[in-house]
Amino acid sequence: HGFARDMSITNRASASPRTPVQIRKQAARDEPLINSVTVDHFNVPTPTALTDSMHGEIRSFGLVIARIKADSGEEGVGYITIPNNVAAGAVASLITRDLGPSLIGQSPERTELIWNQMAKLMRSIGRSGLVSRAMSVLDIAVWDLKAKVYKKPLWRLLGASKDSVKVVAAGVDLMLPLKDLIRQTEKFLTDGFLAIKIKVGRREMKEDIQRVRAVRAFLDNYAFEIGGQRLPLMVSADGEWSLPQAVKALALLEKHSIEWVEMPIMSDDVNGYKKLYNTSIIAVAAGSTVTTEQEVMHLICEGKLSIAQIGVNNIGGITPFMKAARLAEIHKIPVTTQGPHDIHFHLVAALDNATFCEVSEFRLNEFIDLPLTIVNGKAKLSDVPGHGVRFDFKALEKHRDSTNVKTTTAQRSSRGKLTMEEATAMTKKLPKDPWDMKMRDNV
């Protein structure tokens, strides 16, 4: 892509640079300060072709990773995955050129302040869409770093009282032949899952119903053999249906004991969700594609959701995810997830209104040193500080899509902290007008 492999950008200004007095006070409190941001972008192939109605055929996923380091030595990691690598390069560029530099000199302990400053920086172009994805990467990294500074696992830092969460195996399997769909379901059960989600939204609705009926029958037989209760089955339409089609589909699905139908219509059709809520007895989940907590609020308050589905990779990170989940709790609405399950486990553990946490097909077991383990339908959380995801960058290197870009501050002192003199000197290099982009890029 024409970039140097280890391009270094030094002392880039944040959206709202602090005064020397503010920085001296922060240094005096001995808070760690962020002094570098490294961005990696990979295009990872899937073992087999995946299919759904939203993306069609999926043969790879973009993986955007940000590593942020503090002058105290800890490193936080944030990441998102994007099917077919669509616009993942744009997300990486947003972090590299704009959002990443705004973290320099900030304390990772101040997660709310950092998130608000990123949002303010992006205000003029809008915070949804790609911007929200980029903010998600960095916000996850900041929380990971904060947890490591406090030497706590993320779920404990968030106040969770439980160390395991219920999970649902989410297949991306719309065009999988029926025999293979049953084999996949059997493998999920063998792997320890006790709840299954399959894709619907084929051209002929009767094919969807046939597949749901077959999977339901297989799950019922399995439950009977082990002497257990009926296992939950969910379906996801990815917004493929029109409102009349969704009304018809939900009526046909009622007899198959579906736990919930996910995104039967597009998530922005608030009035449509209100009509579905009033006409169907099946629980409806939505929200997986919305990119701000305000959109979640609109769906909850106006759309009358049964279940709010929130994705930490879409909504802007952990900070807004927890706000949206608390809003759902106020309205007595359960929360489920969509996206990077290794992060969601920690967040779901901290919620009283959480239901199943989705485990997607975009698994990173091959590239992390704490692979996923499911026992009796639950994922157990570790006591490793942070979120516990540690990437094997040597294994990922062959899938690199673009180069690393590193943002750094002044050199650390011998004791590993910014001295008051270094902090003061750092502010002298910042532009007087933070909105003067030409000056900022020349710093």
Side-chain angles (χ1 to χ4, degrees), residues 144-342:
D144 185 42
L145 179 56
K146 180 178 180 178
K148 289 173 179 174
V149 167
Y150 283 100
K151 296 179 172 53
K152 290 184 177 182
L154 179 58
W155 59 277
R156 286 194 184 277
L157 185 68
L158 292 170
S161 59
K162 53 190 175 185
D163 62 358
S164 64
V165 296
K166 293 191 302 181
V167 291
V168 52
V172 186
D173 47 28
L174 182 64
M175 301 309 294
L176 204 62
L178 183 55
K179 289 183 179 180
D180 293 335
L181 180 63
I182 297 299
R183 290 193 190 100
Q184 173 186 269
T185 301
E186 184 176 23
K187 185 179 186 306
F188 284 151
L189 296 173
T190 302
D191 290 343
F193 291 94
L194 294 177
I196 305 295
K197 180 161 59 177
I198 67 172
K199 294 292 185 181
V200 292
R202 292 169 74 103
R203 288 187 177 180
E204 296 293 333
M205 191 175 294
K206 64 181 180 181
E207 295 180 7
D208 287 328
I209 303 303
Q210 289 170 355
R211 291 160 69 84
V212 169
R213 183 186 301 118
V215 174
R216 166 47 70 201
F218 182 84
L219 291 177
D220 287 351
N221 288 335
Y222 178 86
F224 178 79
E225 289 175 1
I226 65 174
Q229 297 180 342
R230 197 170 212 181
L231 301 181
L233 174 61
M234 299 79 159
V235 300
S236 173
D238 290 310
E240 178 66 13
W241 294 325
S242 65
L243 180 58
Q245 287 174 322
V247 171
K248 178 181 177 182
L250 266 61
L252 293 172
L253 289 168
E254 285 179 3
K255 65 180 68 173
H256 300 295
S257 300
I258 302 301
E259 189 81 6
W260 73 65
V261 178
E262 181 181 308
M263 201 175 166
I265 56 180
M266 292 301 292
S267 290
D268 58 0
D269 188 355
V270 176
N271 290 329
Y273 278 102
K274 188 173 182 178
K275 292 177 181 177
L276 290 177
Y277 182 87
N278 292 328
T279 58
S280 176
I281 63 172
I282 295 183
V284 173
S288 62
T289 59
V290 302
T291 55
T292 68
E293 64 272 33
Q294 288 81 9
E295 292 174 83
V296 175
M297 178 178 68
H298 195 41
L299 267 173
I300 290 174
C301 296
E302 301 297 329
K304 306 297 183 182
L305 292 182
S306 305
I307 299 168
Q309 186 178 35
I310 312 171
V312 71
N313 56 328
N314 291 345
I315 202 169
I318 294 170
T319 301
F321 178 100
M322 297 304 291
K323 292 177 181 178
R326 300 301 186 199
L327 176 68
E329 182 179 19
I330 291 171
H331 287 82
K332 310 299 182 184
I333 295 175
V335 167
T336 185
T337 61
Q338 186 274 334
H341 47 262
D342 296 293

Side-chain angles (χ1 to χ4, degrees), residues 3-12 35-39 96 101 104 403-411 441-443:
F3 294 111
R5 178 159 290 258
D6 287 309
M7 182 186 293
S8 181
I9 306 172
T10 306
N11 292 332
R12 297 279 299 271
N35 66 5
S36 73
V37 179
T38 303
V39 183
T96 298
I104 301 304
T403 59
N404 294 358
V405 181
K406 196 170 185 178
T407 306
T408 58
T409 63
Q411 296 296 316
D441 286 339
N442 287 334
V443 172

